[in-house]
Amino acid sequence: MTTQQVSDAELAGQPAAYWTGVAYEALIAYTRAQQAERGYTQPQFWLLRNLSENDISPDGEGMTIPELEEAMTSYIRPEDDLAAEAEVLLERGWLTRDAEDRLWLTEEGEQARVNLARNAPAIRAALHEGIDDADYVTTLKVLQQMIRNAGGTVA
């Protein structure tokens, strides 16, 4: 499907599921490419965030790979290999592993998380270029209503 020379009436009849899928893949690909240019992967950033008591982790306690996979179940992609990504972070000194195979964030890892988080505004700005905040909010509200209409839940 294409939006070239498509009237609003024709666009209104197109399937949202198709366009949300196309948008999801494009947004993920763009975000991951931007992160790769900066020397890290999205799953590596998620690992740091999920192990940081200053971010997603409720207690800053270490977690095993299966526990991290469970924590990330709503956003991890099938091709993401958290064990391999964690090995990179272990080599960088951003994580440590204890005798129970739990991964822990180091001070260097926490500083890396803070530094990497600084990239998010620029990535977001590029993705939102030419999109008014009011239009963006309206789009999200429409998608949330469609989710509810389909029997899903909106967090």
Side-chain angles (χ1 to χ4, degrees):
M1 291 187 182
T2 180
T3 57
Q4 294 176 332
Q5 307 300 323
V6 177
S7 71
D8 286 356
E10 290 170 315
L11 201 54
Q14 292 186 357
Y18 170 79
W19 287 111
T20 56
V22 171
Y24 173 76
E25 292 301 329
L27 295 171
I28 292 294
Y30 180 84
T31 299
R32 288 183 175 212
Q34 292 299 304
Q35 291 171 327
E37 284 183 16
R38 292 163 170 87
Y40 66 100
T41 67
Q42 192 171 47
Q44 289 168 359
F45 185 52
W46 291 337
L47 284 166
L48 297 174
R49 293 191 68 204
N50 275 275
L51 292 169
S52 174
E53 65 186 339
N54 299 309
D55 203 333
I56 297 174
S57 174
D59 55 16
E61 294 296 311
M63 297 174 76
T64 64
I65 293 294
E67 290 169 337
L68 286 158
E69 288 171 341
E70 177 65 26
M72 297 183 212
T73 193
S74 68
Y75 51 90
I76 194 168
R77 291 176 56 96
E79 68 269 21
D80 294 338
D81 182 346
L82 291 187
E85 300 287 1
E87 288 302 321
V88 173
L89 299 180
L90 287 160
E91 290 172 16
R92 290 181 182 171
W94 295 357
L95 299 180
T96 59
R97 181 180 283 131
D98 67 18
E100 283 100 37
D101 230 16
R102 298 175 78 74
L103 296 170
W104 295 82
L105 190 63
T106 64
E107 284 184 34
E108 294 84 3
E110 176 61 16
Q111 187 58 55
R113 182 196 66 78
V114 169
N115 292 339
L116 297 178
R118 292 185 181 128
N119 295 316
I123 294 170
R124 181 191 187 281
L127 290 171
H128 286 243
E129 186 177 336
I131 302 168
D132 181 88
D133 280 349
D135 289 340
Y136 180 71
V137 168
T138 297
T139 300
L140 293 184
K141 287 180 177 181
V142 168
L143 289 172
Q144 290 173 347
Q145 185 59 48
M146 292 179 91
I147 291 165
R148 286 189 290 273
N149 291 348
T153 57
V154 176

